[in-house]
Amino acid sequence: MIQPIILAAGKGTRMKSRLPKVLQPLAGRPLLAYVLEAAQAVTTTLPLVVIGHGAEQVKAHFDGPRWVLQAQQLGTGHAVQQAAMQLDDGAVALILYGDVPLVQPQTLQDLVSLVDAQHPLALLTVELDDPNGYGRIVRDAHHQVVAIVEQKDATPEQLAIREVNTGMMAVQGAHLKRWLERLDNANAQGEYYLTDIIRFCVEDGFEIHTTAPGLPLEVMGVNDKAQLAQLERAWQHHQVDALLAEGVTVVDPARLDIRGTVTVGQDVFIDVNVVLEGDVQLGDGVHIGPNCVLKNVSLGEGVQVHAFSHLEGCQAEEGVNIGPYARIRPQTMLAAGARIGNFVEIKQSSIGAGSKVNHLAYIGDTTMGTGVNIGAGVITCNYDGVNKHRTIIGDDAFIGSDSQLVAPVQVGEGATIGAGSTIVKDAPAHQLTLSRAKQTTLKNWIAPRQRCKG
Ligand code: UD1
Ligand code: CA
């Protein structure tokens, strides 16, 4: 049994934020969410999460983990001591950090698999060009790990060591509990260092095995906004690389941001300054123009989204054409070949196959048939100040420019609505309906500017 223990009690003072550090967002999700996900990928055992600063705020964000309160932050060893009571003797404790979010399941699997009866402790270490700030891995002449020395306690020779402690380790439960009891805080920071158990393990005659992460970003920690921004960039690059490997054309990998999961077909094209959020599915040949935001959308084959469009919670079938400057809001369904043009807002509506809403329109709470033409400036008046009502437009209807459809209302199949109409009653199929004051021209009328000329 693997028991993840996630340390997340620290204050994150250097963030200078009211939001606890582990709730700071990376690609739109709290740091801690990533660690929980990685833990859950290697075991079904609920993680123990040690919290302290902002405990209530952190708890409110997540269901599932078992929370352990560390009221005072007396060091990483002290933090693990708080969780030890809930650790089975037979379990392997997998110690993770709430502020090192991108460790991958495979790396954790590799780490845990190093633990057996002869090797009760395994470490995740990494070689850094600049080891500043990290605990150094001290090895003997036979290359065996003998200790971890914290930066502030290290000798000048030890400071030159480039192999560092990532903090993550896997430790057999009964041994861990025994070693935790021996910790003291007689060191430069007056803290109970978890890293002191390495020495105890060696004293007990065990060899320590180490493994390295697959990617450098897996062990990058976040202490301030600069590191958060660095990690964000590194993660975005990593995600975009994965899309490139799948054959997507990304015009500038530095100008695509993914805050969720993206699945793609063949020959997808993504222009600059695009943000993809939530669950995004892009079919074969989808083309996304510059400066678009897509959140929870599914686009069928050959869909084109032109510049500056904002799509959320919508589905578009093959050949749909959207934008530029379109706004599609949640629960919208665009059937094959539909065309949504510039400065059009659509909300909670279904637009039938081949229908066109090309210019400056608002379509809300509407069920629209196929082959409909919506003129420029048409508005569905779906809200009476208290309730929302639906508009139903039959196949092949033609709604003249600048008309208002006051819901609840139905426009029949093949009906025509004259331009500038305010439609408050159902309009019958195949007929022209219009509501418009008669046009008049006043004869003998003299404009003031002409009168002055006298
Ligand atoms: C720790 C390691 C160091 C390693 C580095 C990697 C120790 C003594 N040192 O140092 O060898 O190179 O991580 O980043 O373990 N935390 C608590 N309660 C506490 C103290 C810390 O929950 O009382 C949590 C923090 O919120 C943080 C993590 O533990 O998520 C690490 O604590 P931090 O003080 O940042 O450790 P470092 O000094 O960086
Ligand atoms: Ca510290």
Side-chain angles (χ1 to χ4, degrees):
M1 173 191 167
I2 300 167
Q3 174 63 67
I5 300 176
I6 302 174
L7 306 191
K11 189 171 181 189
T13 314
R14 283 174 282 168
M15 283 285 170
K16 300 195 174 151
S17 170
R18 283 191 200 167
L19 196 63
K21 179 156 79 170
V22 293
L23 295 183
Q24 299 283 332
L26 178 79
R29 295 166 67 212
L31 295 175
L32 183 56
Y34 293 85
V35 188
L36 289 169
E37 207 172 85
Q40 277 151 10
V42 295
T43 176
T44 54
T45 310
L46 291 181
L48 291 163
V49 184
V50 182
I51 48 175
H53 277 281
E56 291 310 312
Q57 239 179 312
V58 175
K59 270 168 142 172
H61 259 79
F62 303 94
D63 283 336
R66 294 155 69 196
W67 304 107
V68 176
L69 192 68
Q70 185 195 23
Q72 262 188 302
Q73 284 73 55
L74 303 179
T76 50
H78 181 257
V80 177
Q81 279 170 351
Q82 310 311 301
M85 277 169 308
Q86 300 191 52
L87 177 67
D88 279 4
D89 281 355
V92 173
L94 175 61
I95 293 167
L96 306 174
Y97 289 62
D99 58 358
V100 186
L102 293 181
V103 65
Q104 299 298 299
Q106 185 59 54
T107 299
L108 298 181
Q109 208 82 65
D110 292 348
L111 181 62
V112 166
S113 68
L114 296 177
V115 174
D116 58 31
Q118 282 71 49
H119 305 91
L121 191 158
L123 284 175
L124 185 68
T125 71
V126 69
E127 294 250 353
L128 295 180
D129 290 338
D130 176 12
N132 234 325
Y134 288 90
R136 307 299 204 277
I137 306 291
V138 182
R139 293 180 185 265
D140 66 13
H142 307 289
H143 204 62
Q144 293 301 318
V145 176
V146 291
I148 294 178
V149 180
E150 291 306 300
Q151 164 108 11
K152 289 185 178 151
D153 301 289
T155 64
E157 285 132 44
Q158 289 168 336
L159 286 176
I161 298 171
R162 288 179 37 227
E163 187 187 7
V164 304
N165 176 30
T166 64
M168 288 175 262
M169 58 179 89
V171 196
Q172 203 282 320
H175 284 294
L176 174 61
K177 288 187 193 175
R178 241 173 357 94
W179 294 329
L180 286 172
E181 282 170 16
R182 293 172 58 186
L183 293 180
D184 63 44
N185 62 355
N187 52 54
Q189 300 187 83
E191 286 181 8
Y192 293 88
Y193 290 165
L194 178 62
T195 42
D196 283 349
I197 69 171
I198 278 69
R199 200 158 32 84
F200 304 151
C201 178
V202 173
E203 284 168 12
D204 283 358
F206 296 112
E207 269 184 16
I208 293 173
H209 285 174
T210 62
T211 184
L215 301 165
L217 60 74
E218 291 187 55
V219 296
M220 284 169 71
V222 175
N223 294 305
D224 55 30
K225 292 285 167 116
Q227 285 176 334
L228 184 61
Q230 272 166 17
L231 192 60
E232 176 80 30
R233 276 307 100 209
W235 181 233
Q236 292 300 343
H237 264 284
H238 180 73
Q239 293 185 110
V240 174
D241 282 348
L243 285 188
L244 294 171
E246 285 190 72
V248 177
T249 300
V250 177
V251 172
D252 182 356
R255 284 186 287 170
L256 168 60
D257 280 61
I258 299 169
R259 302 176 189 155
T261 50
V262 180
T263 55
V264 291
Q266 244 187 335
D267 294 315
V268 168
F269 178 98
I270 303 177
D271 215 321
V272 299
N273 293 334
V274 169
V275 178
L276 305 177
E277 292 182 65
D279 179 18
V280 173
Q281 297 172 23
L282 307 176
D284 291 346
V286 165
H287 184 111
I288 314 288
N291 301 300
C292 290
V293 178
L294 277 63
K295 180 174 184 178
N296 297 323
V297 303
S298 166
L299 305 182
E301 191 173 336
V303 168
Q304 305 235 351
V305 181
H306 300 283
F308 295 100
S309 292
H310 189 287
L311 280 55
E312 179 176 0
C314 74
Q315 199 187 331
E317 291 180 352
E318 66 271 16
V320 165
N321 215 305
I322 300 168
Y325 297 100
R327 176 161 186 222
I328 314 287
R329 292 169 52 197
Q331 295 179 53
T332 293
M333 162 70 201
L334 308 172
R339 171 82 185 90
I340 310 302
N342 45 274
F343 305 108
V344 171
E345 174 176 346
I346 300 198
K347 185 219 110 181
Q348 215 170 347
S349 295
S350 65
I351 307 297
S355 289
K356 293 178 190 159
V357 190
N358 268 336
H359 329 270
L360 300 151
Y362 171 63
I363 303 295
D365 302 306
T366 296
T367 305
M368 190 184 296
T370 61
V372 170
N373 193 307
I374 303 286
V378 168
I379 286 173
T380 56
C381 309
N382 58 330
Y383 185 52
D384 60 15
V386 181
N387 296 304
K388 303 270 168 68
H389 302 283
R390 290 203 74 80
T391 297
I392 296 170
I393 302 173
D395 293 346
D396 302 313
F398 183 102
I399 315 293
S401 295
D402 196 31
S403 293
Q404 302 93 49
L405 305 175
V406 182
V409 72
Q410 290 200 32
V411 175
E413 189 180 322
T416 299
I417 304 295
S421 296
T422 300
I423 300 298
V424 296
K425 290 182 288 193
D426 292 354
H430 304 296
Q431 292 181 46
L432 170 66
T433 300
L434 71 171
S435 74
R436 201 190 276 168
K438 270 223 158 48
Q439 181 169 330
T440 52
T441 302
L442 302 185
K443 286 175 189 159
N444 307 323
W445 179 78
I446 300 166
R449 63 185 184 282
Q450 283 168 340
R451 269 180 239 154
C452 292
K453 284 181 191 163

